[in-house]
Amino acid sequence: MPSFSEHSAISYRSINPIERSALSLSFCLSLSPPTPSGLNSVSKLKLWQVPYRKVDLEAGATPLYPTVLERPELRWSFIRKVYSILTFQLLLTVAVSAVVVEVRPIALFFATTPDGLALYILLLCTPFIWRVILKAAILTAGVAVGLTSYTFWAAKRGYDFNFLGPFLSAAIFVAILFCLLQIFLPLGKISVMVYGCIAAIVFCGYVIYDTDNLIKRYSYDEYIWASVALYLDIINLFLSLLTIFRAADR
């Protein structure tokens, strides 16, 4: 006489495939964990007591780069200080340049007196039309923001751009030699555009390099040097793009 287990197995095999599938599905559902609707009142109370938290990048939960050895909130505070100074520098430059360009006596004073030679860089925009200046400014802002965002993203994933230092120094030395050659032996429109493109690429590299130094290497007391380095990168990138647009409009 078959046992109870053997009898159950025989009865299960005698069921048609459709009923067998339905029976297996109901058995699996009976073993599944309870749904939230089946939770008791204590479990529901514990769920409601879980605090809602927003992810704060400056709270130290997310490090700036994988091998960071300092408190992230201190580095974030340093970065905020540097970019605040940089923003003030750029706004002041725009305001002074607008006054120099629009007020003719001031431009003549800077151009004709020895005291104004130190501020001669402010007159570089004088021969350009405002359309070209606006295009160069918008492009510079877009490139600077894009490269800065990329550098923060890359640093968070462990990339390091310190190797760019020697190459950028050599490139800027070549650009200075080309600029001196252009002063004494003008090479024409195409050469000016080539120089502008090379200089723009070099200063794009400097934006990445100095931003990487800002994230990893500058000490907390070097905020002035960090802001000046980024300021010079952006201004030289703007002047390089302005050189390209000016040569293209000739």
Side-chain angles (χ1 to χ4, degrees), residues 94-107:
V94 171
V96 174
S97 300
V99 171
V100 170
V101 171
E102 290 296 328
V103 181
R104 191 64 180 174
I106 297 179

Side-chain angles (χ1 to χ4, degrees), residues 97 116-126 231-232 235-236 239:
S97 300
L117 294 179
L119 299 175
Y120 181 72
I121 190 174
L122 299 176
L123 299 175
L124 293 176
C125 297
T126 304
Y231 172 77
L232 293 177
I235 291 298
N236 283 300
L239 294 177

